[in-house]
Amino acid sequence: MEITAGALLLWALLYYLDSGGMVPQVLAACALHELGHYAAIRLLGGRVARLKITCVGAVMVLSARFPLGPARELTAALAGPAVNLLCAGLWAGLGERWYCFAGIHLALGLFNLLPVGPLDGGRALGCLLALAGHEDWAEPAVGVLSVGLCMGLTMGALLLWRAGEYNLTLPLMAVWLLATPIRMKK
């Protein structure tokens, strides 16, 4: 397991700025998300060779000796968001005190289902296309969807800016979603 210096610095900064106690809740939701992936990989006969935690997420590298194949990889990709959506329902059912934690799980689960490159939804779409016999379509389809979503996020930020509302989250997310697949190809 590797935790980058960037991840540690970001966590420290967010924890310092966090007056509402959300950082530990977000980290707990992220940990449960990754445990969902890990459990599915193990149950499906795969092995995790390496886990790298960066300031923008976690990456599990599977052992080449225990390949999963498209159907099992699809299940493993959807396991993390499924855990978050299940937790969102469970925590919301415990009452108002747990709504924030439920909301964090819901947001994390739904965000990861977006069909873009670095997210679970992009991996799931690639697996579905491979299962349908169109493996060669996977990378171009995910690429087009990634660019389209990033353009939408950028347009949303511009529209908010024009209305007098400034939001750096949307353009930063667009840059991250576009930059991650490009960086991973190198």
Side-chain angles (χ1 to χ4, degrees):
M1 182 163 102
E2 176 186 353
I3 301 176
T4 65
L8 294 173
L9 287 172
L10 179 65
W11 294 346
L13 176 66
L14 291 175
Y15 187 75
Y16 176 75
L17 297 173
D18 182 26
S19 60
M22 285 187 58
V23 169
Q25 294 180 55
V26 170
L27 291 176
C30 291
L32 288 169
H33 177 96
E34 295 306 325
L35 283 171
H37 288 306
Y38 181 77
I41 290 166
R42 292 294 297 193
L43 288 170
L44 295 168
R47 300 288 184 268
V48 176
R50 195 175 100 214
L51 172 65
K52 182 176 183 179
I53 300 172
T54 68
C55 60
V56 293
V59 176
M60 285 187 194
V61 177
L62 300 184
S63 169
R65 291 179 50 205
F66 301 97
L68 290 181
R72 290 180 181 178
E73 187 178 338
L74 172 65
T75 303
L78 295 176
V83 165
N84 288 128
L85 297 176
L86 178 65
C87 286
L90 291 173
W91 294 118
L94 293 178
E96 192 173 326
R97 180 171 186 243
W98 296 98
Y99 285 173
C100 182
F101 195 44
I104 291 167
H105 274 285
L106 181 64
L108 182 61
L110 291 176
F111 178 75
N112 270 281
L113 287 174
L114 292 173
V116 296
L119 302 177
D120 298 327
R123 285 183 38 227
L125 177 60
C127 292
L128 285 171
L129 288 170
L131 289 169
H134 301 291
E135 191 171 350
D136 53 328
W137 292 5
E139 192 173 330
V142 171
V144 167
L145 289 170
S146 297
V147 170
L149 177 67
C150 293
M151 289 173 56
L153 290 171
T154 304
M155 289 303 297
L158 290 172
L159 289 172
L160 284 172
W161 177 70
R162 190 162 192 268
E165 297 291 326
Y166 304 100
N167 184 323
L168 282 178
T169 306
L170 296 177
L172 287 175
M173 191 179 306
V175 168
W176 175 73
L177 287 172
L178 274 179
T180 301
I182 292 168
R183 200 175 67 243
M184 290 173 78
K185 283 185 179 183
K186 291 182 179 179

